[in-house]
Amino acid sequence: MRTAWVAIRSAPRRRRRGRQGGFTLVEMLVTVAVLVIVLGLMVSLARYVRRRSAEDLTRRVLVNLHTATLQYTRQFGPINLPPVASDSDKPLDEATLRDRAEANNRLFVQIMRGHKDLSAKAFRDLPLPVYDDATVRDAWGAPILFMPGMHKQVGQSPDGWFFVSAGPDRLYLTRDDNQYSYEAFGVEVR
């Protein structure tokens, strides 16, 4: 009996006629569907990682600027920049605020660059797209705005002055995605 079993197992298997080795249409469609799902998950993950890294970079810039400004105000008093907007101004539009932010940013960088020890701390390790020796931008390319005082349209800080990033939409007046220097330190506004 044992020899019969070995003979049966070792006999070559015959293929059915008309059946070729390969994938069926259903197997191919399932494979393509799985690949599409995996690619969709990878794209979603890549977007999430990119957004988080931009937020982290901007937060780091805001912390550096806030820390350097605290040191500046301890040594030399308040920074004298023309206000971007005061509460007595008529409501701002985004284009005006953006123009004022550009000028404000350049003046702030000039003041900080006048003090080598402070500018080294404020601008260290910043990549070229963020700091180009004349302006400091957030990760999305908008200039970081120094607000010497509170403003109801832009933001309100417990310290009175603060920095603001326009966020991913690059609009300062849409406050829901803006990043503020006092938030980077974990300070809550009451």
Side-chain angles (χ1 to χ4, degrees), residues 41-161:
L41 290 173
M42 286 176 43
V43 166
S44 176
L45 179 64
R47 285 182 184 156
Y48 172 78
V49 168
R50 186 173 180 189
R51 182 179 53 84
R52 286 297 303 217
S53 70
E55 288 173 357
D56 290 345
L57 174 63
T58 301
R59 194 172 297 111
R60 190 177 89 217
V61 171
L62 291 172
V63 166
N64 286 356
L65 294 176
H66 197 93
T67 303
T69 304
L70 282 173
Q71 291 174 348
Y72 180 93
T73 56
R74 283 187 201 126
Q75 290 178 2
F76 307 106
I79 293 179
N80 293 321
L81 284 177
V84 174
S86 65
D87 277 333
S88 63
D89 281 349
K90 62 182 179 188
L92 289 172
D93 62 290
E94 193 65 43
T96 303
L97 185 56
R98 187 165 195 77
D99 291 342
R100 291 181 183 180
E102 202 62 57
N104 169 286
N105 189 286
R106 288 182 184 280
L107 282 171
F108 178 80
V109 170
Q110 282 178 350
I111 290 171
M112 282 298 170
R113 285 182 53 103
H115 303 282
K116 296 288 185 205
D117 56 329
L118 293 176
S119 66
K121 291 176 184 174
F123 306 132
R124 71 171 171 252
D125 303 329
L126 296 181
L128 186 62
V130 171
Y131 174 62
D132 63 2
D133 289 335
T135 58
V136 180
R137 300 188 176 280
D138 59 18
W140 301 280
I144 291 181
L145 178 61
F146 173 72
M147 289 296 292
M150 295 185 267
H151 190 275
K152 61 185 172 209
Q153 281 183 281
V154 180
Q156 304 206 11
S157 166
D159 296 331
W161 57 268

Side-chain angles (χ1 to χ4, degrees), residues 14-35:
R14 294 183 188 172
R15 291 190 176 184
R16 294 182 193 166
R17 288 188 185 193
R19 170 100 169 122
Q20 300 289 327
F23 296 108
T24 65
L25 181 60
V26 171
E27 291 170 332
M28 287 292 259
L29 290 174
V30 167
T31 303
V32 168
V34 168
L35 287 175

